[in-house]
């Protein structure tokens, strides 16, 4: 953006400008899959995550961390979040590793 120079997807990924690269022709399917993963999380957790990012970016670090802590505590009192955490814990209890417990694609 600084100099208007076009960059490849691989370079954008290396620079941290994009979340992930997908094979040509699969972007829509991959986006739908990612959106499905997002909506599987409690809406309040997604809202809190966005709030932490957008609401804390212009605050001094100490205040941003306090905001994050308050939102975390608030989120973990919601029944849907407690249920989600309980499902994850049950997967751990049954021998799952972190990837499987959180249903994270190891190749993503």
């Amino acid at each position: 953006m600084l100099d208007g120079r076009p960059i490849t997807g691989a370079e954008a990924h290396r620079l941290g400008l994009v979340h992930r690269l997908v094979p040509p022709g699969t972007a829509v399917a991959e986006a739908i899959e990612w959106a499905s993963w997002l909506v599987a999380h409690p809406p309040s957790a997604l809202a809190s995550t966005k709030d932490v990012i957008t609401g804390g970016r212009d605050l001094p670090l100490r205040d941003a961390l306090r905001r994050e802590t308050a939102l975390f505590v608030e989120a973990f009192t919601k029944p849907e979040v407690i249920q989600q955490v309980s499902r994850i814990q049950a997967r751990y209890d049954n021998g799952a590793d972190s990837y499987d417990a959180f249903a994270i694609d190891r190749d993503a």
Side-chain angles (χ1 to χ4, degrees), residues 40-75:
H41 293 79
S44 61
L46 296 172
S48 293
T49 300
K50 287 192 234 179
D51 195 359
V52 165
I53 294 166
T54 60
R57 68 179 164 218
D58 294 327
L59 296 175
L61 179 60
R62 176 175 283 185
D63 294 338
L65 291 173
R66 283 188 181 130
R67 178 185 184 85
E68 180 178 358
T69 300
L71 288 166
F72 180 85
V73 169
E74 180 184 333

Side-chain angles (χ1 to χ4, degrees), residues 7-22 107-108:
I7 61 173
T8 65
E11 186 175 359
H13 186 256
R14 182 182 63 74
L15 293 170
L17 299 174
V18 297
H19 171 72
R20 139 182 186 199
L21 299 175
V22 298
D107 300 323

Side-chain angles (χ1 to χ4, degrees), residues 6 10 18 24-25 29 32 35 40 53 56 65 69 71 80-81 86 88-89 92-93:
V18 297
I32 291 169
I53 294 166
L65 291 173
T69 300
L71 288 166
E80 68 269 19
V81 175
S86 295
I88 292 166
Q89 184 62 53
Y92 273 120
D93 293 346

